[in-house]
Amino acid sequence: MKRVVLSLAVVALAATIALAGGKKQTLSGHLVDIACSNEHAPEGEAFGAKHSKECLLMSDCVKSGYAVLTADKQVIKFDAKGNEEAKKQLAGLAKEKDIRVSVTGTVEGDSIQVASLKVE
């Protein structure tokens, strides 16, 4: 009986891990907000470099959430934890444009469950 219970527990754990999806990875690129990136992401690096801290902190942009715009023009959206961390780090940032970010977490589709985030 103990073996059956243990076997079921192992199977349940494996299923949970499989459902969790992607593996932890680190992405780097420009910090963007979702509202602006919907329109400007195809511009890639040019958009990311000129996107300003002022815009990132505008009410509508903050409400839309944040993402990393990668070099290959992918927009990977942050979860709630990542959005809060980005907002907190932006508040103390002296740099006004060309704001880069390094974010580590689990990527699933076009979003990332943020484990750590560093605004550069």
Side-chain angles (χ1 to χ4, degrees), residues 48-114:
K50 69 181 179 183
H51 198 215
S52 70
K53 175 182 172 182
E54 180 181 4
C55 181
L56 288 165
L57 292 174
M58 292 176 72
S59 179
D60 287 343
C61 296
V62 172
K63 287 179 193 172
S64 72
Y66 295 108
V68 57
L69 174 61
T70 64
D72 61 351
K73 300 180 184 179
Q74 290 185 8
V75 177
I76 308 297
K77 301 172 189 173
F78 299 165
D79 63 357
K81 177 184 175 185
N83 287 329
E84 286 303 312
E85 187 61 29
K87 190 169 38 173
K88 184 169 72 172
Q89 290 189 33
L90 275 171
L93 187 68
K95 193 172 189 180
E96 292 297 324
K97 291 188 178 183
D98 195 25
I99 300 168
R100 295 185 174 270
V101 67
S102 177
V103 59
T104 301
T106 304
V107 177
E108 292 188 31
D110 68 346
S111 62
I112 185 167
Q113 184 179 4
V114 177

Side-chain angles (χ1 to χ4, degrees), residues 13-67:
L13 178 60
T16 301
I17 291 170
L19 288 175
K23 62 182 179 177
K24 195 177 268 190
Q25 53 188 294
T26 300
L27 303 174
S28 296
H30 285 97
L31 180 65
V32 295
D33 59 87
I34 303 303
C36 291
S37 69
N38 285 338
E39 184 178 340
H40 297 286
E43 298 170 31
E45 290 284 316
F47 163 63
K50 69 181 179 183
H51 198 215
S52 70
K53 175 182 172 182
E54 180 181 4
C55 181
L56 288 165
L57 292 174
M58 292 176 72
S59 179
D60 287 343
C61 296
V62 172
K63 287 179 193 172
S64 72
Y66 295 108

